[in-house]
Amino acid sequence: MTLSLPPPVETPAETPAGAPDQPPAEPRTPLLQVEDLVIAFQQYDRGLRRRVVTAVAGMSLDVHAGEVVALVGASGAGKSLLGHAVLGLLPPNAHEQGRIRWRGDEVDLPARRALAGRQTALLPQSLTHLDPSATVGAQARRSARLLGASRREARVRAREAVREQGLADDVLSLYPHQLSGGMGRRVLTALALMGDPALVVADEPTPGLGPDQVAAVLDRLHRIAQAGSGVLLITHELGPALRVADRVVVARRGRTVEHAPAAAFAGDGSLLTHPYSRALWRALPQNDFAVDPTVDAETVHPEVDAETVDPEVASC
């Protein structure tokens, strides 16, 4: 006679007394998501003849809180146009396709403009963004007033803003033409951070600066991310960007062609998936300027016509 034994009962592992249940971690929602962005401009060619110039032909990226994402590519890749689209700053003749999401929700142009200066901020590449007819203090106080501060609060916040960037109070009495390049960059940073934004778009913040000034600017961006904000660093300088970036997005002729962790830019670049990304990495001085002659417009993106992106339109 054969006895039929019941199947063994699996006893779940006991949870230590007092230990809280730990549900599986859910993926974090990015602050910013850009999906398949296309930007075209309608221009007059000759007389009343019009043409459409596609400057951004398909760009995607995302930025989380507390990280620096570098958007890297040559001049004319459409990088700054993406940044301006995120902030709602494109000119009236621009036409957009694709989706831009803020904290998971799709945001249209009016919503992006409402976020700008409060939840999102631009750190521009040129000191010409400062008003030459107003002192630093006047501009800082104006920024604070636009954010809802009273006159008295605006004076206090203006002083705090410049002090946080390592500047003395007497800078508030100076006009932009009286600032050195490094001081001007710090003033721009102070104004950009007045509203404690969750996302900072730094558009080419280092061109024309010496090594020490570049290091100082990158250090400030790193500290902004450490404080909990997301940073989108738009630059054509891959080497400096790798010092602070957590992730790198490579743009080429109006398209994003690579999304990679900064650590992938190492050795011979074999961890990078796109030939253009490897070419950028290998061409850096520390890699002996190893230019790959086979990487050109045809091999990098054969589906993009050389006439698609107008360099006068996509100037950055």
Side-chain angles (χ1 to χ4, degrees), residues 37-43 52-59 76-82 90 94-95 251-255 304 307-316:
L37 181 66
V38 176
I39 302 174
F41 294 87
Q42 190 173 79
Q43 296 181 330
V52 175
V53 177
T54 302
V56 173
M59 299 181 77
K79 307 183 301 297
S80 290
L81 289 176
L82 180 145
L90 290 176
H95 301 273
R252 168 71 173 175
R253 298 183 63 80
R255 298 176 184 269
V304 180
E307 295 298 323
T308 301
V309 181
D310 188 333
E312 294 185 359
V313 175
S315 58
C316 297

Side-chain angles (χ1 to χ4, degrees), residues 55-138:
V56 173
M59 299 181 77
S60 300
L61 57 76
D62 59 73
V63 182
H64 288 82
E67 72 169 348
V68 179
V69 175
L71 177 58
V72 178
S75 296
K79 307 183 301 297
S80 290
L81 289 176
L82 180 145
H84 289 176
V86 167
L87 296 163
L89 298 177
L90 290 176
N93 66 328
H95 301 273
E96 295 180 33
Q97 295 180 7
R99 290 174 296 278
I100 297 177
R101 301 182 187 275
W102 177 253
R103 300 186 187 273
D105 296 325
E106 188 168 351
V107 283
D108 58 11
L109 180 58
R112 279 177 266 151
R113 288 177 174 170
L115 289 169
R118 291 171 171 81
Q119 291 294 304
T120 61
L122 173 67
L123 181 55
Q125 59 181 288
S126 173
L127 301 187
T128 58
H129 284 77
L130 294 173
D131 183 351
S133 65
T135 64
V136 170

Side-chain angles (χ1 to χ4, degrees), residues 193-243:
L193 300 182
M194 289 284 287
D196 194 20
L199 174 72
V200 174
V201 178
D203 186 9
E204 297 283 5
T206 58
L209 300 182
D212 292 342
Q213 290 178 316
V214 169
V217 170
L218 295 176
D219 180 63
R220 286 196 290 274
L221 295 178
H222 181 61
R223 284 189 278 111
I224 290 170
Q226 284 185 318
S229 298
V231 176
L232 176 59
L233 170 58
I234 297 172
T235 181
H236 64 270
E237 298 179 320
L238 175 61
L242 290 174
R243 300 180 195 174

Side-chain angles (χ1 to χ4, degrees), residues 276-295:
Y276 182 66
S277 304
R278 291 193 294 272
L280 284 179
W281 166 245
R282 292 170 181 170
L284 292 180
Q286 60 262 40
N287 297 322
D288 298 324
F289 301 103
V291 177
D292 186 348
T294 65
V295 179

Side-chain angles (χ1 to χ4, degrees), residues 140-153:
R141 291 191 296 271
R142 183 190 308 155
S143 296
R145 292 297 305 278
L146 290 173
L147 292 168
S150 67
R151 291 184 183 274
R152 178 177 297 178
E153 292 170 339

